Amino acid sequence: MASALQTVSLPCFLRTCRLSPPPRPSISFPSPSSSFSRTSQSNGCFVSARVKAASSSSSATAADVSELKDGIAEFYDESSGIWEDIWGEHMHHGFYDPGTDASGSDHRGAQIRMIEESLRFAGISEDGANKPKRIVDVGCGIGGSSRYLAKKYGAQCQGITLSPVQADRGNALAEAQGLADKVSFRVADALNQPFPDGQFDLVWSMESGEHMPDKSKFVNELARVAAPGGIIIIVTWSHRDLGPSEESLQPWEKDLLKRICDAYYLPDWCSTSDYVKLFQSLSFQEIKTEDWSEHVAPFWPAVIRSALTWKGFTSLLGSGLKTIKGALVMPLMIQGYQKGVIKFSIITCRKPPQTQ
Ligand code: SAH
């Protein structure tokens, strides 16, 4: 991985830098069209689940969302091949011991560790009878997680992405690795998944949540496709939780996030506790979170160093103005992390065995 870092390589949440223009939707009510949301709405739960986005009070229009989706698809279509050359098949951060010097680290090993730590945190069973058998990989990239999980558990995995290039590449890699009968990928929207209710005993979202313009709808879809008793794992960027007396982030924090969102064309983020509230509103069980910001921090110096090598610099120059703009804003991400505004979090929970 160290040699891979000789070229410019941006973590997944930075990769929306080609989108245009930046939509700035906030969290809204879940879609009333899903069966799970109908159940919960009948209990009035979603009224208390309304959560506010941090840095904007604007709402997503259908045109905003459509533009965002097109931009994400286009961006991953264009750049997934380069990322695979650099990062291999996993398009997410590594998990490191805090204080690790990333310069000598095994970054690909750290990416696998991120998967393993996520499974461990969620308490996924390793024993034959209880290990996951049906998995959905929501925002699958080129399917690194799906193939890893299919091999580890012998499970059937279905991945969805907005990028046709990623779906094709994911299927080609599955074929090449002898996993075509276990793993498949297709283009589909995480906010409107092409699966019946209650299909999956593990619902996996590794660094895709930050792309979702409607976090409530996102959570609702994850909940809908989870089987009764199934586990949901979300690993994502969020902003810090608000204090009990706070209505919103501080103006300087909003400004920092706004500059990052504008540069990277991301929809607004929410906090980890916003995710918790959404799962609570669905009466999910065993809701757990952990702040892993320190565990991904060693990655950032390596990313910046890679951009400063000759090869990295020339790759950056050849990549286009929006990518350059994104790279220039990278220090703001580090600033956001160091000041505690930006968090890298895991959220896990279990769907009740019987839905009401
Ligand atoms: N989870 C993968 C890839 C992370 S990159 C990995 O760890 O390797 C983010 C992924 O989210 C991309 O594949 C992108 O297409 C997907 N994505 C973003 N918004 C999406 C949406 N609305 N529906 C489905 N996939 C989405």
Side-chain angles (χ1 to χ4, degrees), residues 119 124-125 130-135 153-156 201-202:
L119 297 169
I124 301 295
S125 177
N130 295 321
K131 61 189 181 186
K133 295 173 189 65
R134 297 177 317 277
I135 300 173
Y153 296 120
Q156 295 289 329
D201 43 24
L202 175 58

Side-chain angles (χ1 to χ4, degrees), residues 305-338:
R305 265 201 304 277
S306 72
L308 296 176
T309 61
W310 175 251
K311 192 173 174 190
F313 186 65
T314 51
S315 297
L316 188 58
L317 284 183
S319 63
L321 280 176
K322 286 176 178 157
T323 306
I324 293 170
K325 188 178 167 197
L328 290 174
V329 173
M330 244 174 351
L332 290 183
M333 291 298 304
I334 293 181
Q335 199 183 325
Y337 162 71
Q338 286 175 340

Side-chain angles (χ1 to χ4, degrees), residues 7 29 57 142 150 154 201 226 256 264 279 299 330 336:
T7 56
F29 284 109
S57 59
I142 58 170
D201 43 24
L256 179 67
Y264 296 133
F279 282 116
F299 188 72
M330 244 174 351

Side-chain angles (χ1 to χ4, degrees), residues 12 76 91-92 139 141 161-162 166 188-190 206-208 211-212:
C12 121
Y76 282 105
M91 297 183 158
H92 58 254
T161 169
L162 292 178
Q166 286 189 329
D189 186 358
M206 175 61 70
E207 292 197 40
S208 64
H211 285 296
M212 306 303 164

Side-chain angles (χ1 to χ4, degrees), residues 202-333:
L202 175 58
V203 177
W204 176 266
S205 166
M206 175 61 70
E207 292 197 40
S208 64
E210 54 268 37
H211 285 296
M212 306 303 164
D214 185 331
K215 305 298 191 227
S216 187
K217 203 168 182 179
F218 173 53
V219 163
N220 204 56
E221 272 297 86
L222 301 183
R224 184 184 65 77
V225 300
I231 300 275
I232 295 179
I233 298 179
I234 299 173
V235 177
T236 189
W237 282 85
S238 55
H239 68 68
R240 72 168 173 85
D241 289 340
L242 298 179
S245 60
E246 283 184 307
E247 283 288 312
S248 66
L249 293 173
Q250 299 296 309
W252 69 267
E253 293 174 312
K254 290 184 191 176
D255 183 57
L256 179 67
L257 291 186
K258 183 178 182 313
R259 287 157 72 198
I260 292 166
C261 284
D262 287 350
Y264 296 133
Y265 302 92
L266 288 170
D268 284 349
W269 304 348
C270 65
S271 69
T272 309
S273 64
D274 287 334
Y275 275 111
V276 170
K277 284 178 206 158
L278 288 166
F279 282 116
Q280 284 172 339
S281 77
L282 298 171
S283 302
F284 269 49
Q285 303 168 344
E286 301 168 32
I287 302 170
K288 295 188 293 180
T289 70
E290 204 159 77
D291 178 357
W292 284 355
S293 306
E294 279 195 36
H295 291 287
V296 298
F299 188 72
W300 283 98
V303 173
I304 295 218
R305 265 201 304 277
S306 72
L308 296 176
T309 61
W310 175 251
K311 192 173 174 190
F313 186 65
T314 51
S315 297
L316 188 58
L317 284 183
S319 63
L321 280 176
K322 286 176 178 157
T323 306
I324 293 170
K325 188 178 167 197
L328 290 174
V329 173
M330 244 174 351
L332 290 183
M333 291 298 304

